[in-house]
């Protein structure tokens, strides 16, 4: 199976390497528990990378809704 923590870790490490300094994790409301594992992996990388993540790091909404995503950014 997929290691969701590792998946979140790998994506976040890639974004950090590209210079991302204000990351957001957009997820659908009431997502499966596996998403929480991905968030945990990503959060760990960003914190180890010296970023301060606020309460707005995880944003619950419809990632297919472009107006929502633009508002998050």
């Amino acid at each position: 199976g997929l290691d969701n923590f590792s998946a979140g870790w790998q994506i976040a490490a890639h974004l950090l390497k590209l210079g991302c300094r204000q990351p957001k994790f957009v997820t659908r409301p009431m997502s499966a528990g596996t998403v929480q594992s991905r968030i945990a992996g990503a959060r760990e990388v960003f914190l180890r990378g010296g970023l301060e993540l606020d309460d707005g790091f995880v944003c619950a909404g419809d990632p297919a809704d472009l107006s929502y995503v633009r508002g998050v950014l």
Side-chain angles (χ1 to χ4, degrees):
L2 178 67
D3 179 344
N4 287 286
F5 184 91
S6 179
W9 180 286
Q10 291 176 31
I11 291 169
H14 178 71
L15 291 172
L16 198 58
K17 185 177 178 180
L18 292 176
C20 180
R21 296 293 176 255
Q22 295 180 323
K24 301 290 184 188
F25 195 111
V26 178
T27 182
R28 294 182 186 281
M30 307 296 289
S31 291
T34 55
V35 174
Q36 294 303 315
S37 294
R38 289 182 213 143
I39 292 168
R43 184 184 310 273
E44 184 69 24
V45 167
F46 290 131
L47 292 176
R48 286 187 185 200
L51 300 186
E52 293 183 21
L53 302 177
D54 59 21
D55 292 338
F57 170 61
V58 178
C59 305
D62 183 0
D65 179 352
L66 293 180
S67 63
Y68 170 74
V69 173
R70 285 187 188 108
V72 166
L73 301 176

